[in-house]
Amino acid sequence: RYASSLTFEIGSKGGVGPLKGQPAAIALLWLQEIPDDEEVPVKIPILVSKNLRQLKQNFLNEHTPKGHEYKTVGWLTTMIRVDRGLDPDHEKYAKSQARRHAYETYDHIQGEALIAERNAHAYDDGVVDKEEKKALQRAHTKQLHNRHRGVAQFQPYRTAIWMKEGIKRRIIPKKKPAKRETAVKSEA
């Protein structure tokens, strides 16, 4: 994450939806400046430039104006908190095989503890409704599958799941990744 930035795109130059043009201005914050697990106020300059795409790829400091033309038109003030590590919100981003494997590893280690804690408090109020009962059953089934127990102990079942996921990944159209143009100036 230290080589990543958070970019706020402000306004647009024509177009609607996916056909919209370039933003009118940007506010750029590099995540290396934000401490982990602390909510911090940040004040980010709002920049206007002829080449915002190139400006997005640069760390802004006192040397930036020497190589890039831009103008500061205002300031964006907000509170930012960066939570380190994985959590259940990351499951939707586990698209590649490596990311799925990393998330599954996290889920086996940390997810089991979360499920156990949730199950321990399920009966706190003395009443378990249909929804809670279904959630408990799903959690139990997931724990069995993670350890290849229950129906998941049989190889044909695991093969069928593997085939289903493979077919689903190939049939459902993927969103095309955003094209990343390298427009970094370099010395010859």
Side-chain angles (χ1 to χ4, degrees):
R1 89 170 165 102
Y2 295 105
S4 300
S5 65
L6 174 63
T7 305
F8 296 91
E9 296 183 348
I10 303 163
S12 70
K13 295 180 180 177
V16 177
L19 302 175
K20 70 180 179 182
Q22 292 291 318
I26 62 168
L28 189 65
L29 174 71
W30 287 89
L31 296 179
Q32 69 189 22
E33 299 177 348
I34 307 297
D36 289 340
D37 301 323
E38 289 181 29
E39 194 166 301
V40 293
V42 292
K43 187 174 181 181
I44 315 165
I46 298 174
L47 309 172
V48 175
S49 174
K50 291 179 184 174
N51 195 350
L52 289 174
R53 181 177 291 159
Q54 186 178 20
L55 193 59
K56 277 189 216 180
Q57 297 177 3
N58 290 282
F59 185 83
L60 303 176
N61 58 21
E62 66 275 358
H63 301 290
T64 310
K66 295 175 187 172
H68 304 281
E69 270 188 52
Y70 67 88
K71 183 179 173 186
T72 302
V73 294
W75 294 89
L76 176 74
T77 306
T78 187
M79 296 293 284
I80 300 279
R81 177 187 168 109
V82 176
D83 291 330
R84 66 176 169 206
L86 291 175
D87 60 24
D89 295 335
H90 287 89
E91 185 173 14
K92 62 186 170 196
Y93 300 113
K95 300 293 181 195
S96 69
Q97 183 176 358
R99 288 185 180 195
R100 271 194 313 275
H101 179 70
Y103 185 78
E104 285 172 6
T105 303
Y106 155 79
D107 192 38
H108 289 323
I109 296 167
Q110 295 295 329
E112 295 292 322
L114 293 173
I115 290 170
E117 184 178 335
R118 194 176 332 129
N119 289 351
H121 296 293
Y123 298 101
D124 284 352
D125 60 358
V127 179
V128 179
D129 61 4
K130 251 188 202 180
E131 208 170 290
E132 286 177 323
K133 199 175 267 189
K134 284 182 182 179
L136 287 171
Q137 184 59 38
R138 276 194 304 270
H140 178 67
T141 303
K142 186 175 182 178
Q143 285 178 328
L144 289 175
H145 285 197
N146 285 345
R147 293 175 293 164
H148 290 188
R149 298 290 183 253
V151 71
Q153 68 183 315
F154 301 109
Q155 180 68 35
Y157 174 80
R158 294 193 308 269
T159 302
I161 295 294
W162 174 76
M163 288 171 47
K164 180 190 83 165
E165 289 174 359
I167 291 170
K168 190 169 37 170
R169 279 196 307 272
R170 286 173 179 81
I171 291 177
I172 297 174
K174 297 177 187 173
K175 290 183 181 178
K176 291 184 179 179
K179 282 190 175 181
R180 183 172 182 148
E181 292 185 24
T182 49
V184 178
K185 289 184 180 179
S186 62
E187 295 180 18

